[in-house]
């Protein structure tokens, strides 16, 4: 292989790695969206505002300042251990799924 061939080979390798990295990053975000849709929308609604059922149980608008001012670990704690009528998800969520959901709750506020 001549010098040029070597360089082109390296560049496509890096390009390939960059594409793989981007794909895995989007897959993570999709996972959180899918999880939220599967487990949380019934009470919190797609936009986080809360369904009539969720609001009646005492859920707050996830986009509100009251919720957003909580730290990531407080939010993760409520999702893990539950709180009043909020069910606990400690047994059904993996640590990175939990992290993804906390990030998703943050992203809801950004979309308000
Ligand atoms: C059965 C209805 C229900 C489901 C399903 C549910 N929640 Fe909740 N959630 C609640 C209620 C009710 C509260 C309010 C708890 C309180 O403060 O008394 C709450 C509170 C929260 C809070 C804290 C903010 C607040 O309103 O006080 C977060 C964050 C949250 N839920 C995230 C989630 C996530 C993420 C999921 C899905 C994995 C989920 N919830 C599923 C009912 C639900």
């Amino acid at each position: 292989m001549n010098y040029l061939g070597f360089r082109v080979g390296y560049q496509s390798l890096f390009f390939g790695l960059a594409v793989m990295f981007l794909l895995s990053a989007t897959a993570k975000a999709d996972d959180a969206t899918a999880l939220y849709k599967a487990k949380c929308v019934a009470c919190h609604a797609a936009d986080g505002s809360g369904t009539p059922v969720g609001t009646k149980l005492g859920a707050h608008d996830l986009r509100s300042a009251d919720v957003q001012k909580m730290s990531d670990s407080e939010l993760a704690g409520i999702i893990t251990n539950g709180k009043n009528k909020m069910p606990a998800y400690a047994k059904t969520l993996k640590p990175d799924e939990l992290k993804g959901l906390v990030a998703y709750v943050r992203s809801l506020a950004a979309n308000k």
Side-chain angles (χ1 to χ4, degrees):
M1 202 194 314
N2 63 23
Y3 177 67
L4 192 67
F6 181 71
R7 279 202 36 179
V8 171
Y10 248 93
Q11 276 170 356
S12 46
L13 176 71
F14 278 120
F15 181 72
L17 285 176
V19 168
M20 269 164 54
F21 178 76
L22 283 174
L23 285 178
S24 67
T26 29
K28 279 250 159 68
D30 285 351
D31 283 355
T33 312
L35 271 173
Y36 184 87
K37 288 211 171 104
K39 297 184 193 283
C40 322
V41 281
C43 295
H44 290 289
D47 64 357
S49 60
T51 59
V53 173
T55 314
K56 216 165 165 194
L57 293 172
H60 309 97
D61 188 334
L62 296 181
R63 305 165 303 177
S64 67
D66 278 350
V67 174
Q68 293 295 326
K69 77 178 181 213
M70 287 193 251
S71 68
D72 284 3
S73 55
E74 282 176 291
L75 293 176
I78 293 175
I79 301 169
T80 307
N81 304 316
K83 186 181 171 194
N84 303 319
K85 301 257 164 59
M86 162 80 191
Y89 287 91
K91 293 198 182 79
T92 48
L93 291 175
K94 298 193 200 89
D96 54 329
E97 290 177 331
L98 182 66
K99 250 172 129 178
L101 282 169
V102 170
Y104 192 79
V105 169
R106 296 273 182 232
S107 75
L108 291 171
N111 291 334
K112 195 178 178 181

